[in-house]
Each structure stands twice: as C-alpha cells, then as structure tokens.
Amino acid sequence: MKVRWMEAAEQDRADIFDYISTDNPWAASRMNQLFDEAADKLAEFPKMGKEGKVPGTREWLPHESYRLVYEIEEDTVWIMALVHTAKQWPR
C-alpha cells in the first residue's frame, strides 16, 4: 500500500519536531524517524491500528505520547493527524 501524509498531518509533524527540537534536537530527529517507521509499517500492515474515535478512521500509537490517526482508502493509507495523547481527540 501507499502511504500519504495529508497537509494537516504534515503540519502536526513539523510542529512536533519544532517543539521537541527547542530542548533536544536529537530527540526531535528520533521522533521524526519513529513517524517514518510507523508509516512504513502501515504500508505493510494497514489494519494494525485500532478503530478510531472518528468513524472510518484508525488510530495507532507509534510512541507512547503520540496518536497517529489514519484512514484506508483503496490502496492508500492516508495519515490525517498526529495528536499528543494528552490532547483531546477529535479536535
């Protein structure tokens, strides 16, 4: 399957990177790598996440602090959002 990041999810990812990198650039890079690895795993196993709170979505925790929200559409996994687990989802 193909994995595509929606614009909102790309912005979430950039915001997370910027926030973490102010204190620890290495940790920000590592988190970004975890997100890449999560996308790779979803390409192989798109149903590995549980059913999401929003109908038609799935959710997976690539890290204990972040929820990756996605949907499957034909041969594509669309990553919709990256949300800190302490924040309310859906927005």
Side-chain angles (χ1 to χ4, degrees):
M1 288 204 125
K2 294 179 277 190
V3 176
R4 301 284 185 248
W5 291 78
M6 296 179 82
E7 188 174 328
E10 288 179 345
Q11 185 61 55
D12 292 340
R13 187 174 177 169
D15 292 345
I16 292 165
F17 183 87
D18 291 345
Y19 178 78
I20 295 172
S21 68
T22 59
D23 291 328
N24 190 334
W26 181 87
S29 293
R30 178 66 185 127
M31 187 64 68
N32 209 39
Q33 182 180 358
L34 284 176
F35 296 150
D36 282 337
E37 291 169 5
D40 291 344
K41 287 181 184 176
L42 287 175
E44 289 186 60
F45 307 103
K47 293 188 177 181
M48 68 186 309
K50 65 177 186 167
E51 288 190 31
K53 294 178 183 176
V54 175
T57 66
R58 300 187 74 82
E59 298 179 8
W60 183 41
L61 300 177
H63 181 272
E64 62 191 23
S65 297
Y66 292 99
R67 174 183 297 120
L68 189 149
V69 181
Y70 66 100
E71 64 183 1
I72 303 167
E73 186 177 280
E74 296 177 14
D75 67 340
T76 305
V77 172
W78 288 96
I79 299 176
M80 303 168 63
L82 281 170
V83 183
H84 196 281
T85 54
K87 291 187 178 181
Q88 182 177 355
W89 174 258
R91 295 179 181 137

